[in-house]
Amino acid sequence: MGFEKNEEMVAGFPLHYYIDQWDTPKESTKAFAKFVNDNLVNSKNILDLGAGSGAPTAYLANKAPNVNFVAADNEAKCIEIGESILAKRKINNLTLELLDWNKLQPTTKYDGVISLQTLSWLPDARQPLENIFKNLKPNWIAMTSLFYEGDISCKIEVNQHSINHKLPYNIYSLKEIERICAPYDYILK
């Protein structure tokens, strides 16, 4: 067993996690870009909730130069990292914004809302989704997370002992997600 010095942690992840993705997008980001491509073609403004430093959003922005993207996160340090990197790149259709899912203000400026791997890190799925439905009212929503096809959800607590940080990492039932979406006329595809 060997030991290395701890790297700076940002929102529960090592700093390099946010920086490396700008140059080496994750395969899941590439797959997500293909998944939402048809929606992007018909959109003008997209909000990415829980975007971290904005690296996956930057990947999408480069793929869809005629669409304006806002990469939003509730961690100021993530936005700071992203803005520092974005200042050195020529991505004119991407901005970063400090924004909390639980404090969304009513607006209809977004055609679509995306989120990659964030919902599972939230303590609950219902409230964040209802905030999107009620306050943003996008034409479409696309997100990845830990989902289960059955009618069972699992609440998991991750304890990062090295930094004394606890956070959820939940698996949400797609059947329950459908029930949350239905009153707002959103359907799963």
Side-chain angles (χ1 to χ4, degrees), residues 96-159:
L96 287 97
E97 185 176 323
L98 187 63
L99 184 66
D100 187 326
W101 285 51
N102 296 313
K103 298 175 183 169
L104 297 175
Q105 297 300 310
T107 182
T108 56
K109 70 180 177 180
Y110 298 110
D111 303 303
V113 171
I114 61 173
S115 180
L116 288 83
Q117 299 298 332
T118 303
L119 190 63
S120 287
W121 293 102
L122 301 177
D124 172 62
R126 179 176 297 278
Q127 190 62 48
L129 290 174
E130 287 181 346
N131 286 341
I132 293 170
F133 304 150
K134 292 175 184 176
N135 294 316
L136 304 182
K137 300 177 179 139
N139 298 328
W140 60 273
I141 300 166
M143 59 180 55
T144 61
S145 208
L146 295 176
F147 295 115
Y148 175 64
E149 290 185 18
D151 208 5
I152 297 171
S153 293
C154 297
K155 297 283 187 169
I156 302 167
E157 181 180 84
V158 175
N159 188 344

Side-chain angles (χ1 to χ4, degrees), residues 36-82:
V36 298
N37 186 59
D38 291 344
N39 287 337
L40 294 181
V41 170
N42 298 312
S43 298
K44 295 202 180 336
N45 297 296
I46 305 296
L47 175 64
D48 184 357
L49 286 169
S53 70
T57 325
Y59 182 82
L60 291 169
N62 282 321
K63 295 285 183 191
N66 295 324
V67 179
N68 294 308
F69 290 86
V70 174
D73 202 275
N74 69 338
E75 291 285 339
K77 183 67 173 172
C78 288
I79 299 302
E80 196 178 295
I81 293 164

